[in-house]
Amino acid sequence: MAKKNSVIELDEVVVKFAGDSGDGMQLTGDQFSDTSAFIGNDLSTFPDYPSEIRAPQGTVAGVSGFQVHIGHKEVSTPGDQADVLVAMNPAALKANMKWVKDGATIIIDIDNFDNKHYKKAGYVEDPLHDNSLEGYNVVKAPITMLSRNVATSAGLDNKTADKTKNQFVAGLLYWLFNRDIKIGEDFLKQKFMSKPALVKANIAVLHEGYNYAETIEALSTTFHVDPVKGKKGLFRTITGNQATAWGLLAAAEKAGLELYLGSYPITPATEILQEIVKHKHLGAVAFQAEDEIAGISSAIGASFAGKLAATSTSGPGLALKGEAIGLAVMTELPLVIVNVQRGGPSTGLPTKTEQADLLQALYGRNGESPCIVIAASTPANCFNYAFEAAKLSLEHMTPVILLTDSFLANGSELWKIPKMKEMPAIVPPRVEDNAKDFYPYHRDPKRLNRYWAVPGQPGLRHRIGGLEKGDVTGEVSHDPMNHQIMVEHRECKVQKVAEFIPEQEVTGPESGDLLVVGWGGSYGALISAVTDLRDEGKSISLTQFNYINPLPGNTEEVFSRFKKILVCELNMGQFASYLRSKHPRFEYLQYNKIQGLPLFISELKIKFNEVLESI
């Protein structure tokens, strides 16, 4: 075996795995991420799935990717460009070359680089001989052949053997980044626990990849990323969808209620439903409805029956749920609606990210139908904002729309596991049995919420429904003056929430030349770009909004302390338009991106510098 020539110490590194959907790049990315987390690196990941179901193999449309950014300091984004690209076929190479740094290491499966695959990928010339890869460290590894040889020797048939080649890649990366291969072995033993033959074959291929990397000259240099120092507590990797589901479960426990989720599967929100199903032992009920309308309607019924009720969807599903959300507004029942945003309109880009459902969440219902709207900003804090959505909905007796997005939902990062005793209390406004002078629309003067009586409680029979209700008494009312009173009550109740949410914070100086404004899942790229420019001495700060309706009470005060305000979002300017309607005295500059991709640090820094130079 060849001796390692040198080890380069890195603060951070970005690795991109790419291939056909059947090449197992998502699994290998998860495996590498979990190993990095195990040894103490901070990380952020970004899975990139093809939009078409069963796109033709070997085509650019069928490329599936997984990007992971690891570091020994805090990591906020999956990274703009990759230091290492694994391309299992020419299509994966073609689709990702624009996301690779100059001089990067590119590892290819040379067994798939032939004229047949070049044609499928749309190459006119052989990319390995047209000088397009000049300046990169290209490693041409016979991944398919070596994996097949080892796996068939271990007793697998050719078709199954070819599915092990992702472990050859994993072994190669374990060597390249000085990872303990035993962690990889343990991962496989857990993954294929019930199939000893697969464990044996995959571990053999893992070692083959490791040994291959150790012997070839093209990989004579390895890399090392030290663990993060000073991070204390119990951590694990978590995706945004997982975190959202767990936040709802935690809220149900804290409120002393059973969780009910009524949903219909839709990309990229389906995993929330799947995760809740795993936790029936906690009293959670997950109902896969026949459609979006049935999902939310069942949740409203569960809320009427005294459950913590939720429904999860994406943009097209939110449109279908609009009428039922209005019913929850009218009946003033607690309900959490999770909208995992994706590229639109219509089917649009179902596996890509976007922030284009904001105005739909705010206004996408008939009549005056106000809802609380909040947004998560990292995969990990999807837990916190799912918990917060449930708390606000239960305590204020009104629907809450929680906005996440595909980038957060599928991405992962380290999450510090909280202790339940440290989570804030949730106290629903329940009514005691046989309460005297109970009326369904009698209100708490502090929050303006009505009180919650459930079917079967002695002495508390009442009627609610979609028709307008009489103030206090709750009888059906067509009186015009009463309608105005009730509309104002429902709106005031939502705006009253501003007294119960945190004030808006600024990261960086409290005043200065430029205030960057973001909301939701754009946080990682924005904080990274702002921090970089502040380290260069620029007068720039960031304020990231998680509470959208109502806005925090000090929003105008925050804006007033800066010369310029730049709103950055993944749409045509929906939040900027909303801010203009709420705080019209300010001028809002915009940076908008609608490409199905997250914001990149490099492009943001260019824009920020342009604005700063104009001041």
Side-chain angles (χ1 to χ4, degrees), residues 4 49 54 85 168 227 238 292 449 482 490 545 556:
K4 297 180 185 179
Y49 303 100
R54 295 179 182 172
L85 170 67
F168 187 99
I238 196 168
E292 297 282 4
N449 60 274
N482 177 78
R490 291 188 287 264
F545 282 85
E556 183 165 346

Side-chain angles (χ1 to χ4, degrees), residues 249 258-262 273 276-277 279-280 283-287 307:
L249 288 164
E258 293 179 342
L259 173 64
Y260 176 92
L261 181 77
L273 176 61
I276 296 295
V277 168
H279 298 284
K280 294 179 182 178
V285 174
F287 171 54
K307 312 291 187 185

Side-chain angles (χ1 to χ4, degrees), residues 355-374:
Q355 291 181 297
D357 296 345
L358 178 62
L359 294 183
Q360 181 183 201
L362 289 166
Y363 306 119
R365 296 165 292 283
N366 67 294
E368 294 290 340
S369 188
C371 291
I372 300 169
V373 179
I374 66 177

Side-chain angles (χ1 to χ4, degrees), residues 380-392:
N381 78 20
C382 286
F383 174 89
N384 303 83
Y385 286 102
F387 185 96
E388 179 72 355
K391 178 177 171 65
L392 291 174

Side-chain angles (χ1 to χ4, degrees), residues 71-93:
H72 87 87
K73 59 181 182 179
E74 186 174 341
V75 169
S76 300
T77 76
D80 288 3
Q81 294 183 303
D83 300 281
V84 177
L85 170 67
V86 177
M88 299 298 283
N89 58 29
L93 181 70

Side-chain angles (χ1 to χ4, degrees), residues 453-503:
V454 301
Q457 279 192 266
L460 301 180
R461 286 187 299 175
H462 64 286
R463 181 175 65 169
I464 60 174
L467 291 172
E468 183 60 279
K469 301 297 178 291
D471 187 23
V472 182
T473 63
E475 76 245 11
V476 173
S477 173
H478 300 285
D479 178 69
M481 298 307 295
N482 177 78
H483 179 53
Q484 175 138 355
I485 289 169
M486 293 299 281
V487 167
E488 289 174 350
H489 277 329
R490 291 188 287 264
E491 174 63 22
C492 288
K493 179 176 64 170
V494 170
Q495 295 308 314
K496 191 81 170 171
V497 171
E499 299 175 14
F500 299 88
I501 60 176
E503 290 195 333

Side-chain angles (χ1 to χ4, degrees), residues 16-18 82-87 92-93 96-97 100 105-108:
K16 179 73 177 279
F17 302 87
D83 300 281
V84 177
L85 170 67
V86 177
L93 181 70
N96 288 285
M97 279 306 298
V100 177
T105 295
I106 300 175
I107 300 166
I108 65 170

